[in-house]
Each structure stands twice: as C-alpha cells, then as structure tokens.
Amino acid sequence: MEDLRFMGLALREARAAAALGEVPVGAVVVVGGEVVASAHNRRELDGDPTAHAELLAVRRAAEARGHWRLHDATVYITLEPCPMCAGAMVNARVARVVFGAFDPKAGASGSLYRLLEDRRLNHRCEVRSGVLEGLCAAELTRFFRALRQGKGLPKPRPSARDRED
C-alpha cells in the first residue's frame, strides 16, 4: 500500500514535468516512510542531459541528509531508470527502487539491462516494477501522442517552485 501512495506522489511530479513541456517522469525518495526529496525531469528547462527526475531526486536526498550514501532509501520513479540513473542509484547505495512503466528503449532494470541487480557491481538494489504501471504509461503516451499529432508542447516555463530549485 505504501508503494502505491509514494508512486502517486511520483506521478504528481511527472504531471508537473509535462505541464512545463518536459517528458513526464517523476521521482520521490523516501526514508522511514517520509519523503526526503522529489523531482521531475528538467532536461529542457536546465539544458542538462543529466537532469533526469530520479537523478535530481537522489542528489537532493543526499544533500538533505548530508551524505551521499542512501542505504536506507527507496526511490520511486514513474519510468524504469536508464543506465545513467541506475548507475547513480547503485553508487548511492540506494536500498530499493520502485518504478511504474517499463522503458523498452532505455530501461536498465529489466527491459534492456539489469544494472540495479547486477552481482558484478559493488551494490545491488531491491527492485519492484510495474507499480501503477498503467497510470505511469498513460502519462507518457498522452505526452508523446500530443507531440506526434503536432499539438506541440507547452514551452518550458519555470513555475515558482521550479525557480527555487
């Protein structure tokens, strides 16, 4: 039940990203049942190819906790992490990763690779996939359908919350 609640918060972040013209991916980092950080994609806003939701959330969580090791954290992400983000979570020693939709083109936790669980690495994360998968996938489908249909996307506009980041 807790996974559903926190994935719902990650979905809220994904919707905030879409409203800004970003690919709708959201992430939440939880420790001891409390959200310590959250983020959504900001690649277009920041002009930064590494500004993925989960990478930003992990950075914020480490900053909030004053340490890079997140051995007691769970990261909730609406989309299966890519190799870059999976590598960051392994390096941060994240305990658990929960994601919604699979990413057949870039997924590093089951679709293409299994980096989070690779025994050759110095750390492995427990993984749970498919949480609120339909809702997470629907956000992405809606976003890309609008893009393909030429409806365009909202021009990236930082909200008051985003300007604080």
Side-chain angles (χ1 to χ4, degrees):
M1 201 61 168
E2 189 172 76
D3 285 349
L4 297 175
R5 180 168 68 99
F6 291 122
M7 187 60 75
L9 297 177
L11 266 166
R12 186 181 312 163
E13 287 288 339
R15 291 177 183 128
L20 296 168
E22 294 280 352
V23 174
V25 178
V28 176
V29 180
V30 175
V31 176
E34 299 292 324
V35 174
V36 295
S38 62
H40 53 264
N41 274 2
R42 295 184 51 93
R43 293 191 310 174
E44 299 299 328
L45 284 169
D46 295 351
D48 180 355
T50 70
H52 290 200
E54 61 270 44
L55 191 56
L56 295 172
V58 164
R59 284 179 187 155
R60 290 174 184 171
E63 184 178 330
R65 301 200 61 214
H67 201 278
W68 63 268
R69 284 185 184 90
L70 301 175
H71 65 278
D72 53 352
T74 298
V75 179
Y76 293 87
I77 318 153
T78 58
L79 181 65
E80 180 182 4
C82 71
M84 172 183 68
C85 295
M89 289 185 280
V90 167
N91 283 315
R93 311 300 196 266
V94 168
R96 190 166 175 255
V97 175
V98 178
F99 70 88
F102 284 88
D103 185 350
K105 294 184 178 181
S109 187
S111 290
L112 296 178
Y113 310 102
R114 289 194 170 278
L115 289 179
L116 295 171
E117 302 166 290
D118 192 323
R119 294 197 174 277
R120 296 170 294 179
L121 300 176
N122 64 337
H123 175 77
R124 283 164 295 289
C125 306
E126 178 187 332
V127 175
R128 180 172 181 208
S129 59
V131 175
L132 298 181
E133 181 177 6
L135 292 173
C136 294
E139 289 297 321
L140 291 158
T141 299
R142 189 172 15 262
F143 179 85
F144 287 112
R145 182 178 296 135
L147 187 63
R148 282 191 306 274
Q149 292 175 347
K151 293 180 181 174
L153 301 173
K155 289 192 171 49
R157 278 183 302 118
S159 66
R161 177 177 165 226
D162 288 316
R163 285 189 290 272
E164 293 172 9
D165 293 343

